[in-house]
Amino acid sequence: MHARINTAYLVNLLQTSIDTKAYSAGKLLHAHILRIGLSADTFLLNRLIELYSKSGHIHTARHLFDQMLEPNVYSWHSLLTAYCKQGQLDNAHELFSNMPERNTVSWNTLISAFARNHHETKALKVYSQMNAHGFSPTHITFASVLSACGGLAELEYGRVSHASAVKYGLHKNVYVGNALLSLYVKCSCPRDALIAFRELDEPNEVSFTAMMCGLVDNHQVEEAFEMFRLIQRSGIRIDSVTLSSVLRGCAKRRGLNFGWNGETDSDLPNTHGKQVHCFTIKLGFQGDLHVCNSLLDMYAKNGDMESAVVLFGNLSETSTVSWNVMISGFGQNHDKERAKEYMERMRGMGVEPDDVTYINMLAAYVKSGDVENGRLIFESMACPSLISWNAILSGYSQNEEHLKALKLFREMQFQNLRPDRTTLAIILSSCSEIGFLESGVQVHATSLKCVFPGDIYIASGLIGMYLKCGRVEAAVRIFDGLTQADIVCWNSLITGLSYNSLDKEAFTFFKRMLQMGMLPNEFSFATTLSCCTKLSSLSQGRQLHGLIIKDGYGNDVVVGSTLIDMYSKCGDVDEARVHFDMMPYKNIITWNEMIHGYAQNGCGDEAIFLYEDMICSGGIPDVITFIAALTACSHSGLVNLGLKIFNSMQQQYGLMPLADHYTCMIDCLGRAARFSEIQELIDKMSCKDDSVVWEVLLSSCRLHGNVTLARRAAEELIRLNPQNSAPYVLLANMYTSLGRWDDTEEIRAAMLERQVTKDPGFSWG
């Protein structure tokens, strides 16, 4: 039972790391799992794969997957989903091809990913294979396939898919229907789109808006307005997207009569646009910047700049788009002086003009995160400078659109534009983030060709890239080839070695750095302390602590928090507390590390005292704080205090308890055999589909012989995973220990009927 509780606790910690994308914490847990002999536990390894994937370290996730002895369907699906979410579709496809068994979810995951990432042809090919293998498509399948047909303007294929959807009775599903009408709109078949729209039993705002947008794009503005009237009559919620779509229609049909609720007024210019403006005010959208910008655009395109000026002057906030619409509007209406006036006002407000108004605005868009608009400006430039290339590349990289950055870099090479060190550093960063070794090697070759062999700036990027891709020898070779490495290069190497679980080697390089006379900084110390933690080397940690104090980093909050974690995980919680008390500044991470350190080392009272001290000092606990505090209560039998802390989460701090918090409380109450309170807790909890909660409850019931609640826990576990033998076996053993042989036979009969087999035991010896 201790092993099961330990496993459940590890699962709780892993889930917390997954929720917070705490990669470093996950690596520590991974090391602990290996150390305690649970490296073959498929459930734990699946959670680790999910953690690495969601933390953006899919290469590590794949490495772990490849080492698994018995990967299950969930293992394959976790990695497949991760590849798809990160856009690594070649890897996803390769993994999918090697899956020992596939289900509809597998097929849908790959098809949807291809469709979303503009690989429509591949999506349709996989869909054909799905049909050939006899799998029945679902509404998700058809929505993705029809979307791919729309992207390719494959009308005939779309019609065939439409017929299949009818065959399976899914054509009236709102997702399939929306994809259908979008397909027909994109293929310039508005009549077919309208038929698909009318076949929907319950069209939603997406259906109406997509239909209206399609009509506007096909220049059927009258029909778009009629659709908007239908939205009103249907009582569908009108949102900012809907209003912006109808305003686009107003902008496209200058001077068109548009009767609002049957009224007409053809004597007034731009009647329809002004009526929509009034309607936006009636609905309370006058403060919505997106709608206001659409109104400005409508007025500008209709030549009514005076109305645009009045609206612009009344805006509570403006954006670059707002200024650009006004300046562009004056330019379109041949009013150069007013355009110049607004450009100067824009500069006076600290906003840089863009290229449309004769000034380069690319860098401003990139800094604001609007990379796509930045790319549009970039593409409009007759001869973009190297600074412009670097700006757009940096924008893609900073916004984690690394594949787009790499594609644009290739275009740059095709144009024979020589990159500089900034260009190469940006691309190396993108290669590193997505583990794209092939492109990284090409960039390395380009750096040599451009005579940057000893550039420290590029070398640091190369070291980081090779280590992220698992090419340790290449990284070390580059480092050793440097005539003089700076602190960034040293940190890149030490961090990368630790990332690859080479903590001894990382520590060796740290000592070598000291011997070379290089002064470490806070990042050097924090990384090396983490190495000591993973190596459980308290003696080296102490030596490092002395050096930290000597070099004046003892008060650094990042280094200090890492020190607390190191001492706690190495078992010296008293020393952790001494350092904690000496820190002049503490953030929430510092408090959490110390509270968790006490909880880990069985010092429940001290953990709770510290939790209360944090609150008294003005600290606001987060979800991690509560997990640490509740864990301490559970391990130290502080049941009433645990209940008080648990209840305060929502009542005082507005935090909804997560599955980890419920698990801690059930464990806490279960140890004290307070099952009536557990009953109340599980009846109101929202996370009833979390198996760990029920596993902890079942273990507690087995310990205290609570048959009724144990049966409920087992039934919930069976519901969640009917083929998992553990709840059957635990419940049967419990009945056997109580002498309830008939109940034991009933459980065994149920296992036989459902073809559930008990996992065989094995020895590590």
Side-chain angles (χ1 to χ4, degrees), residues 127-138:
Y127 171 63
S128 297
Q129 293 171 352
M130 178 182 180
N131 288 329
H133 282 78
F135 285 88
S136 298
T138 67

Side-chain angles (χ1 to χ4, degrees), residues 268-288:
L268 295 174
N270 194 24
T271 302
H272 55 292
K274 289 183 177 179
Q275 288 174 334
V276 176
H277 189 175
C278 293
F279 194 60
T280 62
I281 295 172
K282 180 181 176 181
L283 293 177
F285 283 95
Q286 64 269 29
D288 188 298

Side-chain angles (χ1 to χ4, degrees), residues 584-742:
Y585 172 75
K586 306 174 181 68
N587 61 15
I588 187 63
I589 297 173
T590 314
W591 286 94
N592 287 349
E593 290 286 8
M594 193 64 246
I595 295 169
H596 190 244
Y598 274 135
Q600 281 181 314
N601 286 274
C603 306
D605 289 325
E606 289 85 347
I608 300 306
F609 288 147
L610 190 63
Y611 165 79
E612 292 171 347
D613 284 346
M614 184 188 79
I615 294 172
C616 290
S617 64
I620 300 175
D622 61 9
V623 290
I624 306 298
T625 316
F626 282 108
I627 290 172
L630 292 174
T631 300
C633 292
S634 176
H635 289 181
S636 300
L638 306 173
V639 186
N640 292 330
L641 195 53
L643 281 169
K644 180 182 176 182
I645 292 172
F646 180 81
N647 292 331
S648 72
M649 277 190 69
Q650 193 169 355
Q651 294 171 3
Q652 288 180 245
Y653 301 101
L655 297 173
M656 292 298 295
L658 304 175
D660 294 326
H661 302 107
Y662 281 108
T663 302
C664 289
M665 275 315 305
I666 289 171
D667 184 47
C668 187
L669 292 167
R671 290 170 185 250
R674 292 167 62 164
F675 291 105
S676 60
E677 291 165 278
I678 290 179
Q679 182 74 52
E680 294 177 11
L681 197 65
I682 61 176
D683 285 342
K684 66 180 182 181
M685 72 179 183
S686 58
C687 50
K688 290 186 172 61
D689 288 341
D690 190 286
S691 60
V692 179
V693 172
W694 299 109
E695 287 174 2
V696 171
L697 175 57
L698 183 55
S699 296
S700 297
C701 292
R702 182 166 175 254
L703 179 66
H704 295 283
N706 188 317
V707 176
T708 304
L709 210 51
R711 191 173 187 90
R712 177 178 176 184
E715 288 171 350
E716 292 288 349
L717 286 168
I718 292 167
R719 174 182 67 82
L720 293 171
N721 186 359
Q723 296 304 307
N724 181 12
S725 64
Y728 295 95
V729 174
L730 283 172
L731 195 58
N733 290 344
M734 185 176 177
Y735 283 137
T736 301
S737 64
L738 296 172
R740 296 174 56 165
W741 307 109
D742 292 341

Side-chain angles (χ1 to χ4, degrees), residues 336-617:
K336 295 181 180 179
E337 292 304 315
R338 296 291 295 276
K340 182 179 179 181
E341 174 192 339
Y342 270 70
M343 183 173 65
E344 290 172 354
R345 286 177 56 186
M346 184 180 179
R347 284 173 171 165
M349 296 293 291
V351 184
E352 287 293 328
D354 67 8
D355 211 32
V356 176
T357 53
Y358 318 110
I359 298 291
N360 189 347
M361 185 57 189
L362 175 58
Y365 269 113
V366 168
K367 288 177 182 177
S368 68
D370 195 353
V371 187
E372 289 310 310
N373 278 327
R375 179 64 182 269
L376 292 176
I377 294 172
F378 176 82
E379 296 292 350
S380 72
M381 296 176 182
C383 185
S385 65
L386 183 57
I387 294 174
S388 303
W389 282 94
N390 288 344
I392 191 66
L393 288 169
S394 178
Y396 280 133
S397 182
Q398 289 174 13
N399 285 274
E400 299 182 3
E401 297 183 76
H402 303 296
L403 291 176
K404 290 184 179 179
L406 294 175
K407 183 179 179 181
L408 186 61
F409 177 66
R410 282 195 291 270
E411 291 180 23
M412 181 180 178
Q413 290 177 297
F414 291 145
Q415 295 187 24
N416 294 320
L417 185 63
R418 178 172 171 167
D420 63 5
R421 62 202 297 266
T422 301
T423 318
L424 297 176
I426 292 168
I427 299 304
L428 283 171
S429 175
S430 287
C431 294
S432 177
E433 288 300 319
I434 60 176
F436 204 158
L437 178 62
E438 182 181 352
S439 288
V441 172
Q442 292 173 0
V443 174
H444 189 179
T446 302
S447 72
L448 297 174
K449 182 180 177 181
C450 293
V451 198
F452 291 123
D455 190 288
I456 296 178
Y457 190 55
I458 295 174
S460 177
L462 283 169
I463 291 166
M465 181 276 297
Y466 278 122
L467 287 168
K468 267 287 184 70
C469 296
R471 299 290 294 272
V472 178
E473 292 182 1
V476 173
R477 188 162 55 248
I478 291 170
F479 182 85
D480 288 340
L482 292 173
T483 55
Q484 186 176 0
D486 64 0
I487 189 62
V488 177
C489 290
W490 283 101
N491 285 346
S492 294
L493 183 63
I494 294 168
T495 303
L497 290 169
S498 180
Y499 170 82
N500 284 276
S501 301
L502 299 170
D503 297 290
K504 286 184 179 179
E505 290 80 355
F507 198 87
T508 299
F509 269 97
F510 176 78
K511 290 191 290 186
R512 180 176 157 188
M513 179 178 78
L514 297 177
Q515 293 166 358
M516 297 285 290
M518 178 64 64
L519 295 176
N521 60 16
E522 63 272 26
F523 301 107
S524 318
F525 284 124
T527 303
T528 313
L529 277 170
S530 295
C531 294
C532 295
T533 304
K534 287 189 277 184
L535 293 168
S536 297
S537 179
L538 182 58
S539 60
Q540 289 181 322
R542 289 185 189 280
Q543 293 175 22
L544 199 56
H545 188 180
L547 187 60
I548 288 168
I549 295 172
K550 178 185 174 184
D551 285 5
Y553 288 98
N555 293 334
D556 183 89
V557 69
V558 175
V559 176
S561 300
T562 313
L563 266 170
I564 292 167
D565 181 60
M566 184 275 296
Y567 278 120
S568 297
K569 287 193 167 93
C570 289
D572 194 347
V573 71
D574 292 333
E575 186 61 36
R577 180 56 188 266
V578 169
H579 182 69
F580 175 87
D581 290 337
M582 292 174 63
M583 290 181 66
Y585 172 75
K586 306 174 181 68
N587 61 15
I588 187 63
I589 297 173
T590 314
W591 286 94
N592 287 349
E593 290 286 8
M594 193 64 246
I595 295 169
H596 190 244
Y598 274 135
Q600 281 181 314
N601 286 274
C603 306
D605 289 325
E606 289 85 347
I608 300 306
F609 288 147
L610 190 63
Y611 165 79
E612 292 171 347
D613 284 346
M614 184 188 79
I615 294 172
C616 290
S617 64

